[in-house]
Amino acid sequence: MIKEAIGYGDTIEEALEDARLQLGAKPEDDVEFEVLSTPKKKVLGIFGGAKAEVKAFIELPDAAPKKAPRKRNEKAPVKPEKKDKKPAQKKAVEAEKKPAKAEAPAVVDDFSDAVDEAALAADSQAAKAVSYLRTILEQFACKDVAIKVAEREGCTYIMLDGEGLGVIIGHRGETLDALQYLVGLAANGAGGYYKVSLNIGDYRQRREQTLTDLAKRVSEQVLRTGKNRTLEPMNPYERRIIHTAVQNIEGVVSNSFGEGSGRRVVIAVEGGDIRPQRRDGGRGRNSGRGRRNDRPSNKVEAPVREPKKDIEAPLYGKIN
């Protein structure tokens, strides 16, 4: 079932956010949108003018079919009684039913054991990164924040734990990514390249799982409908997660289109046209007229890639 809403705002971004609120969409939901009209300024600041208008779409799961009511005087089927299991076997089954607690890994692979910030050498790049991070946390009024640091050659992984750190994460981790970039600059003040990765609790792991599930769900829709799907703009780190997940799904391929912060991932059927679909569905006045048939093909075959070593792959990427 497709649900849609029309949003208005002074900018296209504000109109899209208004439509998302009307749909009740969560930040991780895949929402498609179509720009109906762009904002227009008032003449001399008085006459005319119009707000941006955006139509947003979201696909909701179909409602479960209702069970047919039983006829009058019709007895409900009697379920056969199950024999009680042996005590030892019953305890084993109950133990399996209890969900295991998900704990964030204390240390990332190939990193040293995490230590407190006090254990860092004062003149080390990791200490400079933590010192700058503390300054930023004070500006956000984030107090009593525990910081753990794990290192490897040319890289440090900083983990934060405490109350009120949601403001540091921001919308879809945008604030966290920006802060990670700034902390990296502080660590590289003396020159060279020293990578800094920043995480709060298990946010990075949960975000990665959300994006992986999104890639699987959209790939299933592409295989079922045969139509391309264009995701919302993402940063390089998130696009890499989507591409990695799609590589493991047979029959679909992915590519990125756009520039800067508007760069998006497109998922398509393998061997098909992977260009982003036109929002107007190709129903314009000049649709189908004067088209040239000698355009270069954009068909993409699934690339054969050797698995990257963990030391070569970026941990969380930096903002481009």
Side-chain angles (χ1 to χ4, degrees), residues 222-223 228 243 246-247 249-257 265-276 296-305:
V222 170
L223 289 172
N228 299 358
H243 291 311
V246 171
Q247 286 179 11
I249 302 174
E250 188 175 355
V252 293
V253 292
S254 63
N255 205 346
S256 296
F257 295 87
V265 174
V266 176
I267 301 177
V269 177
E270 181 181 348
D273 190 346
I274 199 172
R275 288 176 297 183
S297 174
N298 268 337
K299 293 184 178 181
V300 178
E301 300 292 338
V304 178
R305 297 184 177 90

Side-chain angles (χ1 to χ4, degrees), residues 117 134 137-138 141-147 160-165:
E117 56 183 306
R134 279 291 184 191
L137 291 176
E138 290 176 2
C142 294
K143 301 179 180 179
D144 300 327
V145 177
I147 296 181
L160 306 181
D161 188 21
E163 298 293 332
L165 291 176

Side-chain angles (χ1 to χ4, degrees), residues 136-171:
I136 299 298
L137 291 176
E138 290 176 2
Q139 299 301 318
F140 278 96
C142 294
K143 301 179 180 179
D144 300 327
V145 177
I147 296 181
K148 295 280 187 179
V149 181
E151 295 184 88
R152 71 179 183 196
E153 185 177 357
C155 182
T156 187
Y157 179 59
I158 302 175
M159 294 159 281
L160 306 181
D161 188 21
E163 298 293 332
L165 291 176
V167 65
I168 300 297
I169 296 176
H171 178 62

Side-chain angles (χ1 to χ4, degrees), residues 232-236 239 256-265 319-320:
E232 293 186 354
M234 298 179 183
N235 61 42
R239 294 199 304 271
S256 296
F257 295 87
E259 299 294 335
S261 60
R263 195 161 175 79
R264 304 164 178 263
V265 174
I319 304 301
N320 289 331

Side-chain angles (χ1 to χ4, degrees), residues 5-205:
I6 297 179
Y8 301 89
D10 294 332
T11 64
I12 293 177
E13 290 76 12
E14 291 181 2
L16 176 58
E17 189 63 26
D18 180 41
R20 290 179 65 92
L21 290 174
Q22 294 181 47
L23 292 173
K26 298 178 181 178
E28 64 270 15
D29 288 340
D30 181 29
V31 178
E32 294 187 4
F33 66 93
E34 174 184 356
V35 178
L36 300 179
S37 63
T38 56
K40 297 179 181 179
K41 294 183 179 180
K42 293 183 178 180
V43 179
L44 301 177
I46 302 175
F47 306 105
K51 291 183 176 293
E53 185 176 355
V54 172
K55 180 188 288 186
F57 310 84
I58 187 172
E59 184 173 353
L60 301 175
D62 295 333
K66 297 181 179 180
K67 294 182 180 179
R70 290 199 305 269
K71 296 179 180 179
R72 185 177 295 180
N73 300 328
E74 183 180 351
K75 295 182 179 180
V78 180
K79 295 182 180 179
E81 295 183 0
K82 294 183 180 179
K83 295 182 179 179
D84 191 15
K85 297 180 180 179
K86 296 180 180 179
Q89 186 178 0
K90 190 174 182 179
K91 288 182 180 180
V93 172
E94 290 177 353
E96 290 180 1
K97 289 182 179 180
K98 292 182 180 179
K101 293 183 179 179
E103 297 182 357
V107 182
V108 178
D109 294 340
D110 293 338
F111 279 81
S112 63
D113 292 337
V115 298
D116 293 329
E117 56 183 306
L120 301 173
D123 58 344
S124 67
Q125 288 175 296
K128 293 177 181 178
V130 172
S131 176
Y132 179 82
L133 178 59
R134 279 291 184 191
T135 303
I136 299 298
L137 291 176
E138 290 176 2
Q139 299 301 318
F140 278 96
C142 294
K143 301 179 180 179
D144 300 327
V145 177
I147 296 181
K148 295 280 187 179
V149 181
E151 295 184 88
R152 71 179 183 196
E153 185 177 357
C155 182
T156 187
Y157 179 59
I158 302 175
M159 294 159 281
L160 306 181
D161 188 21
E163 298 293 332
L165 291 176
V167 65
I168 300 297
I169 296 176
H171 178 62
R172 296 189 182 177
E174 293 175 353
T175 306
L176 182 62
D177 289 337
L179 181 57
Q180 175 179 284
Y181 179 61
L182 294 175
V183 173
L185 292 178
N188 287 278
Y193 178 64
Y194 187 76
K195 186 188 300 181
V196 175
S197 297
L198 192 60
N199 197 6
I200 296 178
D202 62 345
Y203 171 77
R204 297 287 191 186
Q205 291 81 1

